[in-house]
Amino acid sequence: MISQTIADFITLAIASGGWMEMDRVYLQNRILGMIGETEFEEAEIRSSPKPSTPLMDELVETAKKNHVVGDSLSEQEIFAAQLMDFLTPPPSVVNAFFAQYYAKDPKKATDYFYDLCKTNDYVKTRAIAKNIDFPVETEYGTLEITINLSKPEKDPKQIALEKNTAQANYPQCPLCMENEGYKGRANFPARTNHRIIRMNLDGESWGFQYSPYAYYNEHCIVLSEEHRPMEITKQTFDRLLKIIEVLPHYFMGSNADLPIVGGSILSHDHYQGGRHTFAMDQAPIEFSFSFKKFPDVTAGIVKWPMSVIRLQSKNKAELARAAHEVFAKWAVYSDEPLDISAYSQDGTLHHTVTPIARKKEDFFEMDIVLRDNNVSKEHPDGIFHPHQDVQHIKKENIGLIEVMGLAILPPRLKTELEEVEKYLLDEENKMVSYHKEWADSIKMNHQLTKENVNEVVQKELGQVFKRVLEDAGVFKRDEQGRTGFERFINYLNSN
């Protein structure tokens, strides 16, 4: 009975803190009108036996039946977000609740906000659950592999709608503050149920939100109020350390700010963080060195497939200065025998970093991953980018999340790997040709059965991802690379 669904949905809306019991009839009539119903039958006021998302599904289905919502994905998402807005207090109230919880414990504040974003379906927990996830043991620790299936594929109706929808410049991008409460359109996501926590970072206004399609626990984004390009500067390190001081149970990092080695959205200054421990976090220091200019900072090279310097100090300001020194020295450093060039002949800059900050007891910690976006005839996609022999698995940019050891692999691999498994078992298959060399090497090195083929393919996929990270490392993990890294450390300590 749809009236009972409405009554249960309203009970959850009131529990969210944005409404009072006095508002029940008002909400009842609002929802009736939205879904195309005209009468409300008697319903029990009770604790809802269902969570919010199944109730939302029932309301959307009723709206579709009553022809107030069309069949396209965007129409349904826009309508669903408008429904879930009833379960979401206004921004001022959400920020007030966050502040109240924060005064008791920062974890309680983020717990409140994250639970709200899951309950109101801003964080797409059901879609995220479709991802294929598994760990793979390597000499660098346990790498995490994710085949990303969370974002729904567009159907022909959706594609046609997007084609016929006028282009607009508002909001300017998916990370702008103006997304909060935005209805959405065929070619831009629905954000009616979206909320942003306001943050002041050294006098600048920033926002804190969660990612709708999270790749790990409490995957959050801290974004500038101003729509401006990403840029690594001294302020980047100051801000990252300030954020983990405010949210000490989270890590916080920045994508690099150059093409090829940067993230997917370079047009809006932002950072990413969350409550997750990555393999890189646990990777040990394999070579310690003293940082002459910064005696309060301990430093070392991390045992990791990419080239990582770890800095640690109780002095936040000193650590930020040391991190910027690493960045500034790397920005102009070249080692031609290792194909490392800071500039092109036309003066184009090729060096930047991917910094990651975290708090460990009384210490602030900063991992600085050295990045280089040069290309060559041999490696036209990037010298320090996944090389062509592994691009059958991964050819996209290696961003912040993957740097730390979590692979985000394309959805095509779900069906492609099923065909690889059939090939490995000598069954009829439709394996694409670019997997053949890899599949043949697996065949040569394993005794394969129906019982173990999936496990073997997963392990071999993890080994490919390890290679992807090694390709992205500027100082390779061989004698020549180690000697080169030591040369850079010596340069770092020079005047």
Side-chain angles (χ1 to χ4, degrees), residues 195-474:
R195 299 294 183 268
I196 300 173
I197 301 299
R198 271 51 177 184
M199 297 182 75
N200 184 308
L201 297 180
D202 296 328
E204 252 193 5
S205 181
W206 287 67
F208 167 79
Q209 66 178 60
Y210 288 105
S211 172
Y213 295 99
Y215 293 130
Y216 50 83
N217 187 40
E218 298 182 43
H219 181 178
C220 66
I221 300 168
V222 175
L223 51 101
S224 170
E225 182 179 53
E226 179 187 353
H227 178 79
R228 64 189 184 210
M230 286 186 64
E231 184 181 9
I232 303 291
T233 67
K234 169 64 166 59
Q235 286 181 299
T236 302
F237 307 105
D238 290 328
R239 291 190 198 110
L240 291 175
L241 293 169
K242 177 64 176 178
I243 295 166
I244 62 165
E245 185 176 46
V246 173
L247 301 173
H249 54 300
Y250 278 9
F251 81 89
M252 194 60 56
S254 174
N255 267 307
D257 56 348
L258 294 179
I260 298 178
V261 297
S264 58
I265 302 178
L266 297 179
S267 61
H268 195 118
D269 202 3
H270 72 284
Y271 311 123
Q272 295 183 72
R275 199 170 177 175
H276 185 74
T277 302
F278 295 86
M280 194 175 83
D281 302 354
Q282 300 173 309
I285 296 290
E286 61 180 358
F287 173 75
S288 296
F289 64 92
S290 59
F291 213 154
K292 292 178 184 177
K293 283 188 181 179
F294 307 98
D296 292 338
V297 176
T298 60
I301 294 172
V302 180
K303 183 183 178 183
W304 193 245
M306 296 183 71
S307 305
V308 185
I309 293 174
R310 179 169 293 162
L311 306 176
Q312 201 177 58
S313 181
K314 290 183 178 180
N315 186 326
K316 180 165 63 77
E318 183 93 336
L319 182 59
R321 286 192 291 272
H324 183 253
E325 179 80 0
V326 173
F327 166 64
K329 287 286 185 76
W330 172 245
V332 297
Y333 185 78
S334 295
D335 192 332
E336 299 298 343
L338 300 181
D339 291 326
I340 295 171
S341 300
Y343 300 98
S344 296
Q345 289 184 344
D346 63 1
T348 302
L349 175 70
H350 291 294
H351 285 179
T352 186
V353 297
T354 301
I356 302 107
R358 60 185 79 90
K359 193 95 167 14
K360 289 191 173 177
E361 297 179 348
D362 294 334
F363 287 88
F364 293 93
E365 186 173 272
M366 181 84 73
D367 282 352
I368 303 170
V369 189
L370 307 180
R371 311 302 301 273
D372 178 318
N373 78 341
N374 272 290
V375 298
S376 66
K377 287 183 180 179
E378 184 184 359
H379 302 295
D381 300 315
I383 299 171
F384 305 103
H385 180 78
H387 293 171
Q388 290 183 352
D389 65 321
V390 293
Q391 288 186 7
H392 65 105
I393 297 297
K394 175 70 174 177
K395 59 184 176 182
E396 298 81 7
N397 291 5
I398 303 305
L400 169 69
I401 297 167
E402 283 149 329
V403 161
M404 295 185 288
L406 196 165
I408 311 298
L409 300 180
R412 64 178 170 83
L413 288 176
K414 179 182 184 295
T415 53
E416 288 183 11
L417 294 178
E418 289 169 357
E419 297 304 314
V420 168
E421 290 180 14
K422 292 176 186 176
Y423 174 82
L424 294 174
L425 295 171
D426 296 319
E427 297 175 354
E428 186 177 343
N429 65 84
K430 297 178 181 178
M431 185 180 75
V432 290
S433 59
Y434 52 66
H435 288 309
K436 188 175 186 305
E437 186 177 345
W438 177 59
D440 285 341
S441 72
I442 296 174
K443 259 188 178 183
M444 285 179 59
N445 293 306
H446 296 277
Q447 290 290 112
L448 295 158
T449 65
K450 278 187 175 291
E451 289 71 31
N452 75 358
V453 67
N454 181 254
E455 181 183 357
V456 168
V457 169
Q458 288 187 350
K459 286 181 178 178
E460 291 294 333
L461 193 65
Q463 295 304 311
V464 173
F465 177 58
K466 182 191 79 169
R467 245 294 309 283
V468 162
L469 295 182
E470 289 171 340
D471 284 351
V474 293

Side-chain angles (χ1 to χ4, degrees), residues 74 78 154 158 161-168 182 184-190:
S74 62
I78 287 169
K154 296 173 182 176
Q158 178 65 25
L161 265 180
E162 290 187 14
K163 182 180 178 182
N164 296 323
T165 300
Q167 294 296 315
Y182 186 67
R185 53 186 189 268
N187 55 6
F188 200 92

Side-chain angles (χ1 to χ4, degrees), residues 144-161:
E144 300 169 271
I145 310 298
T146 296
I147 298 176
N148 181 23
L149 304 174
S150 58
K151 291 188 180 180
E153 293 186 31
K154 296 173 182 176
D155 60 24
K157 291 179 182 178
Q158 178 65 25
I159 293 168
L161 265 180

